Amino acid sequence: MSIVSTITIDGVPQNRTNIEVAAFCGNELRGATRLEKLGNTEIYLASIYVGGENGETISFKLYDPAIDMELNTEYTTEFEGNTSIGESEPFSINFINQSVAKIGDNYFNTLEAAVQAAGTGEMGTTITLLKDAEGSGVVINKSLTIDFNGKTYTFTSPAVGSNGTPTQGFQILKDN
């Protein structure tokens, strides 16, 4: 089964080549590719060959190697042997993002992971919370902005803090 598709996350077309699309049957990898730019257009396509048997459920997942993280997104379809999907006109796989936060086009499963990545490499310094979330707190040892985006972050125990005082939700270190 071969598939040619554009990739969207929450309806937003992805236009970067560092995203990998992988096809799985259960936990078994059946095919993988990176997005590729189509000529001089602004269209990025995933062209993937998927192995399997008719009737198997194939799950498509996204992985962003720039942040070494599998995105909490998934799309499924039923395997059909000897078929080509999207060859004459690419179809779109729209992933529903389950990530907690993002920096630019990079998604993170936790606010803590976004804080750690902020300001490194090509990462920006504004973190946007995407949904209500919870965690044991965040130590901030760099300059950054957290846009709560109308969402709530609930602190759970144990929290962060200095030795003997792990009771803080956000610990913002000096000069940050």
Side-chain angles (χ1 to χ4, degrees):
M1 176 176 184
S2 64
I3 299 172
V4 178
S5 158
T6 58
I7 302 297
T8 62
I9 299 175
D10 294 334
V12 177
Q14 298 302 295
N15 59 356
R16 49 198 180 108
T17 57
N18 64 334
I19 289 183
E20 293 179 356
V21 181
F24 292 86
C25 183
N27 290 327
E28 185 179 339
L29 179 65
R30 297 293 179 91
T33 190
R34 284 191 181 210
L35 293 181
E36 294 181 22
K37 188 173 183 180
L38 180 63
N40 291 328
T41 69
E42 292 304 314
I43 299 171
Y44 288 72
L45 296 175
S47 300
I48 186 169
Y49 175 78
V50 181
E53 296 183 26
N54 287 338
E56 289 182 311
T57 298
I58 304 296
S59 299
F60 295 89
K61 297 184 181 185
L62 297 180
Y63 175 75
D64 189 340
I67 56 174
D68 193 29
M69 181 180 295
E70 180 180 303
L71 301 177
N72 282 341
T73 57
E74 187 172 309
Y75 175 85
T76 62
T77 191
E78 187 173 303
F79 181 85
E80 295 179 47
N82 299 320
T83 60
S84 295
I85 300 173
E87 204 168 273
S88 60
E89 183 174 331
F91 79 105
S92 179
I93 297 177
N94 183 34
F95 292 87
I96 305 301
N97 190 356
Q98 299 297 317
S99 299
V100 168
K102 75 175 192 166
I103 301 172
D105 291 330
N106 298 291
Y107 294 87
F108 301 89
N109 293 334
T110 65
L111 179 58
E112 296 86 351
V115 167
Q116 288 176 1
T120 61
E122 295 180 17
M123 295 287 172
T125 57
T126 299
I127 298 168
T128 303
L129 207 58
L130 300 173
K131 66 179 188 175
D132 292 341
E134 64 180 38
S136 61
V138 180
V139 176
I140 300 173
N141 192 17
K142 58 179 80 173
S143 295
L144 57 84
T145 300
I146 298 175
D147 177 356
F148 283 89
N149 195 29
K151 309 298 187 234
T152 302
Y153 188 82
T154 304
F155 298 106
T156 59
S157 291
V160 298
S162 302
N163 289 337
T165 62
T167 58
Q168 301 171 352
F170 284 107
Q171 184 182 35
I172 304 173
L173 303 179
K174 183 180 177 186
D175 298 326
N176 293 291

